[in-house]
Amino acid sequence: MHTTHLIHNPAGEKGVPILEAKEVTARFGSREAVIQRASFTIERGGFVFLLGPSGSGKTTLLRLLFGDIRPIEGAVFYGRINLRNMRGRRMAYYRREVSFIFQDFKLLPRRTVFENIALALRVTGASSRTIREKVDEIIPRVGLAHRRDAYPSEISGGEQQRVSIARAMVNEPNVLLADEPTGNLDPRMSTEILDLFEKFNFRGTTVVVATHDAAMAASRRQPILRIERRRVIEDIA
Amino acid sequence: MMRLFREALLNVRHGGVVSLLAVVIVALTAALFSSLYLVRNAVYAEAAQFEKNAGAAAFIMDELSEEEVKQLEKTILAMESVERTHIVWKDEALQRGQKMFGDDSVLMLQGFEENPFPVAIEAFAGEEYRNAESMRKMAEEMKQLEGVEDVVFENEAMEQLDKMKRVAFLLGGLIAAVSMVVIAFSIMLTVYARREEIAILRLLGATYGYIRIPLLLQGLLEGLFGSGLGMLILYGLYWQYGASIGFTSFLKPEQMGIVAAGATLVGMLAGMAPLRKHIRAMN
Ligand SMILES: Nc1ncnc2c1ncn2[C@@H]1O[C@H](COP(=O)(O)OP(=O)(O)OP(=O)(O)O)[C@@H](O)[C@H]1O
Ligand SMILES: [Mg+2]
């Protein structure tokens, strides 16, 4: 497997910034800015909720952190690297270190559950054996053992969500950006998924969970970033 | 390498209707192009038949002895553009004349004491010289020789043939260009149909190369399958009906190679051409 390290010893030294937004402004076309001069820090090994109502800009903010859209003003840093300077191959490597759980799952319709999850490893050039081992290990952890060979159209919304969760976690990223990861799950499954995130977090993965559900954010004694009036406010739990 | 081929084949299969359509369009285009190629071959074969007899006739002055005529023939044969020669002695000339004019020849020859036809040396041009321009030069050169009275050659027909060849060449080029555009677009469409998948792969950390190579192979396979299928279809038609409409041979192997290589190359390039634009956009 191709493992690059854009930043040094990602799991080490807790408390150091791993993702940093500095005075970031994002806008689509000529419409008014969605995020305006927002600054915040996410620490290595941290677990934070990104809280805001629907349409407040959670997805936009996560995409900024993911390098999928570029800020009009300000900058996003991964460690010391400005994402603006990350293109082509380096951006590809960045996305192997920072995974995204998409609100709309983004599964490939013509591939099975197994293949969809495997894709995150295949793009890194991992061997078939490694892929099989890792994918078959994570599938039961998201409760999909019985659906391993099903196609996305044959499984429920909650199951699709879990496929996208497994795909984001299977390559053990440094950072997990989760966009409403429990939006389609019942309370019990939501709890299980959050527990899973905490387990990963315990092993060193930095986790950012975007949600509109204040109760869920409050349930975990983790710090909360609140989007309010196009700014980001850091709530200390 | 195996992964890449598996991926590319999978792409073709996953492309579903669009890929199938692309292969069909490539096949039809290749069949159309090849059938015109076939027509061109037939026309060229016909022309070559005609050109084999492309030559000029030099009429020799009566004063020359048989020895001198033979000497002159040698001089003409030594010319670079001349491949072979033939002396038409008076007797043969007379026979030809009688044959040409039929019954009228009796009348025509009435006033003559003896055979009025002059001795002629026919010179046939070598392969590279069978065009109007070279023929004109050759005739010119023959005219300069001592003992030659006059030289005639089929200028008109030669020029007509040259013109036809030029038109065929331009038309062929046009049709080749159209075929390439059609093939390129249909294969670009198969990539376009997969743009969402490509965008997802980028979001999962795939490099350009990882995405590009299977697409390139996909285009290559579509071009290859398509053109192969097209020529197969055409061969089927040729086998069934070719003889009845006067075709005697199918495309030469190297010509089939040109069609297949052209389609494959265009397909390959088209397979990766639209990539960069389609890899963004997440929502
Ligand atoms: N690609 C886009 N083009 C134009 N406007 C966009 C685009 N993406 C988001 N927006 C706008 O930006 C604002 C924030 O959208 P965003 O998706 O970030 O909100 P969100 O907090 O994730 O909402 P939700 O909880 O419903 O997912 C919205 O007003 C939305 O209409
Ligand atoms: Mg959203």
Side-chain angles (χ1 to χ4, degrees), chain B residues 96-200:
Chain B
R96 280 195 197 176
Q98 281 169 340
K99 211 178 191 176
M100 190 148 44
F101 298 109
D103 292 342
D104 294 341
S105 60
V106 183
L107 243 104
M108 262 182 63
L109 296 171
Q110 244 171 16
F112 294 101
E113 294 278 304
E114 49 182 299
N115 181 351
F117 288 97
V119 173
I121 299 174
E122 291 177 338
F124 299 96
E127 210 164 338
E128 312 98 281
Y129 299 96
R130 289 171 193 164
N131 58 66
E133 173 67 12
S134 308
M135 294 292 297
R136 204 178 43 71
K137 275 198 193 132
M138 184 172 123
E140 237 15 79
E141 210 175 320
M142 281 161 70
K143 220 181 238 175
Q144 307 295 319
L145 298 173
E146 197 128 350
V148 174
E149 181 120 50
D150 196 13
V151 180
V152 295
F153 68 101
E154 287 207 65
N155 200 7
E156 199 101 318
M158 218 58 214
E159 258 164 22
Q160 210 63 33
L161 206 61
D162 275 5
K163 214 180 283 172
M164 257 172 60
K165 276 188 181 173
R166 262 201 304 278
V167 170
F169 186 77
L170 287 176
L171 219 58
L174 190 70
I175 289 160
V178 171
S179 303
M180 281 196 250
V181 170
V182 170
I183 290 174
F185 268 108
S186 53
I187 287 176
M188 271 155 89
L189 221 58
T190 68
V191 177
Y192 189 71
R194 299 185 52 229
R195 65 193 181 284
E196 221 154 304
E197 197 180 329
I198 294 168
I200 293 174

Side-chain angles (χ1 to χ4, degrees), chain A residues 63 66 68 88 92 95-96 100 102 106 108 110-111 119 122-123 167, chain B residues 7 10 14 197 200-208 210 280 282-283:
Chain A
R63 287 178 71 190
F66 194 54
D68 191 43
R95 288 172 179 171
R96 297 174 194 181
F100 205 115
F102 305 99
K106 297 199 188 298
L108 298 188
R110 292 196 187 81
R111 307 213 189 198
L119 218 47
R122 284 205 200 287
V123 299
R167 185 181 63 185
Chain B
E7 194 85 356
L10 211 65
H14 284 177
E197 197 180 329
I200 293 174
L201 284 172
R202 285 292 291 159
L203 293 172
L204 294 180
T207 56
Y208 283 117
Y210 181 92
R280 294 213 113 246
M282 181 159 126
N283 271 342

Side-chain angles (χ1 to χ4, degrees), chain A residues 166-201:
Chain A
R167 185 181 63 185
M169 304 212 293
V170 73
N171 63 348
E172 296 156 31
N174 293 339
V175 182
L176 190 62
L177 302 173
D179 195 0
E180 298 279 6
T182 59
N184 289 58
L185 305 180
D186 59 43
R188 219 196 68 194
M189 190 49 87
S190 298
T191 306
E192 273 178 39
I193 291 299
L194 285 179
D195 289 347
L196 193 61
F197 287 169
E198 281 184 343
K199 248 183 234 163
F200 266 76
N201 177 241

Side-chain angles (χ1 to χ4, degrees), chain A residues 1-2 111-140 148-149 166-167 169-172, chain B residues 3 6-7 201 204 210:
Chain A
M1 176 156 63
H2 189 116
R111 307 213 189 198
T112 62
V113 166
F114 178 92
E115 271 308 318
N116 264 286
I117 299 170
L119 218 47
L121 292 168
R122 284 205 200 287
V123 299
T124 68
S127 74
S128 304
R129 219 186 106 203
T130 312
I131 292 173
R132 214 170 329 105
E133 277 172 14
K134 294 202 172 192
V135 176
D136 280 334
E137 193 216 307
I138 201 146
I139 283 179
R148 181 182 183 276
D149 298 313
R167 185 181 63 185
M169 304 212 293
V170 73
N171 63 348
E172 296 156 31
Chain B
R3 172 192 83 80
R6 221 172 345 103
E7 194 85 356
L201 284 172
L204 294 180
Y210 181 92

Side-chain angles (χ1 to χ4, degrees), chain A residues 28 31 34 53-60 63 103 179-180, chain B residues 283:
Chain A
F28 294 100
R31 303 173 54 204
V34 177
S54 179
S56 59
K58 300 182 294 295
T59 300
T60 305
R63 287 178 71 190
Q103 196 168 7
D179 195 0
E180 298 279 6
Chain B
N283 271 342

